[in-house]
Amino acid sequence: MNPEPSAAGWTALTFLGYILLVYGIAAFAHHVSKGKSFLKEYFLGSRSLGPWTLALTFAATSASGGSFAGFPSLIYTYGWVLALWIAGYMVFPICTMGFLGKRINQVAKKCDAVTLPDIFRDRYNSPWLGLLTAFLIIFYLVVYLIAQFKAGGVLIQTLMKDLAFFQGISGRLEGVASLFEGVSSGYLAGLLLFTTSVVLYTAYGGFRAVVLTDVMQGIIMGLGVIILLPLTLHTAYVYLDPPDLEPAPLVEVESRREARSEEPFRLTQFSQGLRKVGEHLKQEDPSAMSAPGHKKTDDMDGEDFKPFLPLGLAISFFFLWPISGSGQAGNMLRLMAFQNTKTLARAIFAVTIYYGFIYIPLVIIFVCAKTLPLSVEQSDQAMPAMAMLVAPPLLAGLLIAAPFAAIMSTVDSFLLMISSALVRDIYQRAINPDVSERAIRIASLATTLAVGFLVLLLTINPPQFLQDIIVFGSAGQAATFLGAMVLTLYWPRSNAAGTASAMITGFVVVAGLYTIGRLQTGEFVSWAPYDIHPFIWGLIGSFIGGVLGSLATPPPSERTVARFFYASDHVEPSS
Amino acid sequence: MADPKLDPTFRNARREALVILVIYTVSLLYTILFCHFFAYNREPETIRLYLGIPDWVVWGVMLPWAFNVGVTFWFCFFYMADDNLDIPPDELEIESELRGEGTGES
């Protein structure tokens, strides 16, 4: 029996239900926004995020498609070493939310800031610094969006290629696809469906819709993993024989499995399943049990053997996840939108629990997958293949929707940030400060739509080295904004010139290392002196640039320092 | 000029940021050092399994992860000051005036 049509049907059903729910949420968000200040509501949800919404929007936006496609693929390939690779997430919430959260929220409220450039602009009374920030945000987010749009398009194409209505759309696009070399009509159809579904609800519902859909997407991701874990352990219990059992003929093996699958359910079957997995891997794939990890092939004997996670790289990743996460513009924006300190405290703890329940179980699930009879052509398919193997069809559809939810929750947030940079930071604050709220409303909707479809055009024929471009986008963003934001929030002596110097130095160092790497190898990889990730060089450069730039130029006025660093009874209005 | 009093929210946020740096550094050192000695290039027969999970994962990753959940709980609910982040109504006018001053600084 061929299970494909049934699986595709269930997947499509789940996907359609999911899209309908997203649009329902957008309509609700649009309804709630009536009667409120458009700018604050559309781009910042009127700063009304409670603990659960803050926690889940933060977690969902941080988890891009990689968490549910690339990460499982790596575990399936390399085994337990991925527990060390992801270990930085144990401190991710407290670092990314706790380090800047309280202070960025306070300063944003003082400045009445709606966007990140607003903070820099108003903290220093410097319109050109606001513009510089806006242009840098647009650059990084467009780069990032191209990669995410491609991932979304490919995912829809993979999930729906067997469905008649998708094949119909694909057939109509063959003429358009023929205009681009190496682009299939199926990919174009997937891209078009993805873009339409995300851009419309983002444009219509604004920040509140993005946050509420993030909450739903975060719940789907969390539930998906929590349900998949016991199903996987039970499947391992059924499929695997205890290692100390004598090998049996195939027929007997099958009868043993049949007998086990019909046993009454007991909780101990989970632990027995995991024990069997451990013993099997120890005997059959011992490299998956320790670091640095390598593929289960014969390549470890030759010169081509490359360890997956040498110690230096493990240190880099422990640094990269929590510290670079603090410097992502999308994360900073969410920290501007929560209500009060209690909200922040509860959200930090909730995200800590959430990540504990997502990442450790994911490692266990896909280590188990190494011992189960998965049919995968590429390790990237490990997630859907596991869902199909261990879960009933409707649940499998939900599990397969998890990576899609992760991509959507990242894309919608970034679309809105680009739109806010163009409408609020460039148009309203630099070109036409007297623009009416009605004009802003129309411009915001139109810009979100336009940016979405512009990125679609850029993604039709995406550039090579896409994964490396994503890494460049994340590392560059953190190197550019983290040092500048830390100095802005915590150093009274910092000024506009120093902050601009921090941003530009971080940007130039990361871009420079990538340019040297490109010249050396011909590929989009960075030069990494002393095997240290370019983000770390960029961050060091950014802090040095920020401090020197501030010290070399006149200090900020006493009144500016008093406004942001002194108790309120020391701040005086201008005379 | 008298030494002005620092904003309590700023002072608390700075102190909390330093504590976070300490938590991060301790977590990094423990995890990396433990895994350096007990996770790398182990002979399979020396790896002890706890419920099928290698010993170095349990002690080097899961234990500090669980410990960090506890530390985060302490930080969020016992250490983090409950600062008021809202602008008091009587200051709103001053803030509004300050935002509109428009004197660029370099």
Side-chain angles (χ1 to χ4, degrees):
Chain A
M1 192 182 83
N2 179 11
E4 285 300 313
S6 160
W10 282 112
T11 303
L13 193 68
T14 313
F15 178 74
L16 286 178
Y18 171 74
I19 292 291
L20 283 176
L21 204 55
V22 163
Y23 275 85
I25 287 173
F28 171 74
H30 188 80
H31 176 73
V32 168
S33 70
K34 285 177 183 166
K36 296 184 176 170
S37 158
F38 175 77
L39 267 175
K40 280 185 199 165
E41 174 60 29
Y42 192 77
F43 292 126
L44 211 54
S46 304
R47 298 188 210 281
S48 60
L49 298 192
W52 289 107
T53 40
L54 175 63
L56 284 167
T57 186
F58 202 92
T61 304
S62 300
S64 69
S67 305
F68 288 86
F71 183 50
S73 158
L74 287 174
I75 305 166
Y76 184 67
T77 307
Y78 297 105
W80 281 109
V81 71
L82 267 293
L84 176 58
W85 187 81
I86 202 72
Y89 270 79
M90 70 175 75
V91 284
F92 184 94
I94 199 170
C95 287
T96 51
M97 301 171 83
F99 191 67
L100 299 177
K102 187 187 279 187
R103 187 76 178 130
I104 206 171
N105 190 278
Q106 183 200 25
V107 171
K109 282 175 179 166
K110 261 184 196 289
C111 299
D112 202 24
V114 175
T115 64
L116 206 58
D118 271 349
I119 290 190
F120 288 113
R121 177 192 159 111
D122 290 340
R123 160 76 174 80
Y124 299 110
N125 281 320
S126 173
W128 62 266
L129 185 60
L131 275 178
L132 173 71
T133 313
F135 282 118
L136 285 168
I137 284 177
I138 291 169
F139 169 76
Y140 282 123
L141 296 192
V142 167
V143 164
Y144 207 92
L145 276 183
I146 290 172
Q148 295 290 330
F149 267 56
K150 188 194 175 189
V154 169
L155 193 63
I156 289 194
Q157 184 193 6
T158 310
L159 296 181
M160 301 203 159
K161 62 185 176 195
D162 296 327
L163 298 174
F165 95 95
F166 183 82
Q167 288 164 351
I169 298 173
S170 176
R172 286 167 194 270
L173 291 171
E174 270 176 9
V176 182
S178 64
L179 299 173
F180 302 93
E181 197 181 330
V183 174
S184 73
S185 59
Y187 168 67
L188 266 189
L191 188 61
L192 194 65
L193 277 178
F194 174 79
T195 307
T196 309
S197 56
V198 180
V199 170
L200 286 183
Y201 86 73
T202 307
Y204 186 63
F207 186 84
R208 193 178 292 275
V210 166
V211 165
L212 291 178
T213 51
D214 280 355
V215 169
M216 184 188 76
Q217 288 148 357
I219 291 170
I220 287 177
M221 290 187 262
L223 277 182
V225 174
I226 288 170
I227 293 170
L228 194 55
L229 179 65
L231 291 173
T232 302
L233 294 178
H234 189 261
T235 306
Y237 168 76
V238 170
Y239 264 91
L240 300 174
D241 288 321
D244 54 353
L245 203 65
E246 286 296 314
L250 192 60
V251 176
E252 199 179 321
V253 170
E254 288 303 322
S255 67
R256 279 181 198 166
R257 280 178 193 161
E258 207 168 303
R260 276 201 290 267
S261 65
E262 287 171 3
E263 280 178 29
F265 170 76
R266 294 188 313 275
L267 275 177
T268 51
Q269 289 169 354
F270 296 154
S271 57
Q272 286 178 41
L274 190 52
R275 274 201 192 98
K276 287 179 184 179
V277 168
E279 293 296 344
H280 272 262
L281 278 180
K282 215 170 162 180
Q283 289 175 9
E284 292 166 16
D285 190 4
S287 67
M289 299 298 288
S290 61
H294 58 79
K295 286 183 184 176
K296 187 190 173 185
T297 59
D298 297 329
D299 60 4
M300 65 179 294
D301 296 327
E303 288 182 0
D304 290 340
F305 168 63
K306 276 188 184 172
F308 168 69
L309 192 71
L311 190 69
L313 208 54
I315 297 170
S316 279
F317 275 111
F318 206 103
F319 196 84
L320 194 65
W321 298 133
I323 306 297
S324 83
S326 307
Q328 301 302 309
N331 291 345
M332 290 183 188
L333 183 74
R334 270 147 184 75
L335 295 175
M336 293 163 58
F338 64 81
Q339 289 167 344
N340 51 43
T341 308
K342 278 198 165 66
T343 301
L344 178 67
R346 288 172 186 157
I348 293 173
F349 187 65
V351 179
T352 305
I353 298 286
Y354 183 86
Y355 279 148
F357 276 105
I358 292 276
Y359 286 115
I360 295 286
L362 272 176
V363 175
I364 294 173
I365 289 164
F366 287 94
V367 164
C368 290
K370 288 176 77 68
T371 63
L372 295 175
L374 280 197
S375 69
V376 290
E377 291 165 12
Q378 293 178 330
S379 59
D380 283 350
Q381 298 165 344
M383 179 76 177
M386 270 301 276
M388 297 290 185
L389 179 73
V390 305
L394 185 61
L395 191 57
L398 182 76
L399 294 170
I400 292 169
F404 189 75
I407 294 171
M408 272 181 124
S409 61
T410 305
V411 165
D412 56 15
S413 309
F414 287 6
L415 267 180
L416 214 55
M417 285 184 70
I418 296 173
S419 176
S420 68
L422 288 167
V423 175
R424 161 77 169 177
D425 301 314
I426 296 176
Y427 181 67
Q428 188 194 24
R429 301 213 69 176
I431 297 172
N432 185 5
D434 298 324
V435 61
S436 69
E437 182 161 304
R438 180 179 152 74
I440 285 276
R441 182 188 297 266
I442 294 168
S444 300
L445 288 169
T447 307
T448 308
L449 289 171
V451 169
F453 286 96
L454 180 72
V455 176
L456 177 143
L457 292 178
L458 292 171
T459 317
I460 287 177
N461 202 358
Q464 283 183 298
F465 317 125
L466 222 47
Q467 187 56 39
D468 298 313
I469 291 173
I470 291 177
V471 175
F472 165 75
S474 304
Q477 214 181 132
T480 303
F481 298 122
L482 181 57
M485 185 55 85
V486 169
L487 296 176
T488 296
L489 299 179
Y490 289 109
W491 194 34
R493 177 63 179 80
S494 68
N495 58 24
T499 304
S501 167
M503 285 186 200
I504 292 167
T505 312
F507 175 80
V508 167
V509 169
V510 172
L513 290 172
Y514 270 87
T515 307
I516 294 171
R518 178 81 200 250
L519 292 173
Q520 285 177 340
T521 65
E523 294 181 5
F524 194 85
V525 293
S526 71
W527 179 46
Y530 303 105
D531 286 333
I532 293 175
H533 197 279
F535 155 66
I536 298 172
W537 290 118
L539 191 62
I540 293 169
S542 176
F543 272 108
I544 293 173
V547 171
L548 292 181
S550 292
L551 293 177
T553 47
S557 70
E558 283 185 14
R559 196 169 52 183
T560 296
V561 173
R563 180 181 171 207
F564 289 101
F565 294 92
Y566 296 163
S568 57
D569 48 339
H570 294 274
V571 184
E572 293 171 6
S574 55
S575 55
Chain B
M1 187 181 119
D3 187 27
K5 190 179 167 219
L6 284 176
D7 174 14
T9 303
F10 165 64
R11 217 173 36 218
N12 290 335
R14 190 176 56 181
R15 179 171 47 86
E16 288 156 9
L18 290 174
V19 170
I20 289 170
L21 281 179
V22 171
I23 294 169
Y24 169 79
T25 308
V26 171
S27 305
L28 169 76
L29 288 176
Y30 174 84
T31 303
I32 294 297
L33 285 175
F34 188 96
C35 290
H36 170 60
F37 289 115
F38 297 103
Y40 277 80
N41 303 314
R42 289 272 298 274
E43 291 299 324
E45 58 271 17
T46 67
I47 297 175
R48 195 173 165 193
L49 298 179
Y50 295 92
L51 285 176
I53 302 171
D55 50 6
W56 67 267
V57 175
V58 173
W59 302 117
V61 180
M62 288 179 166
L63 179 73
W65 200 308
F67 183 72
N68 262 298
V69 172
V71 169
T72 304
F73 182 80
W74 164 79
F75 179 87
C76 292
F77 299 113
F78 295 99
Y79 185 75
M80 199 170 167
D82 185 15
D83 292 303
N84 181 11
L85 304 177
D86 291 326
I87 312 296
D90 56 332
E91 283 179 40
L92 283 175
E93 199 177 324
I94 300 175
E95 282 300 332
S96 176
E97 194 178 338
L98 288 169
R99 278 198 296 275
E101 68 185 4
T103 52
E105 288 175 10
S106 57

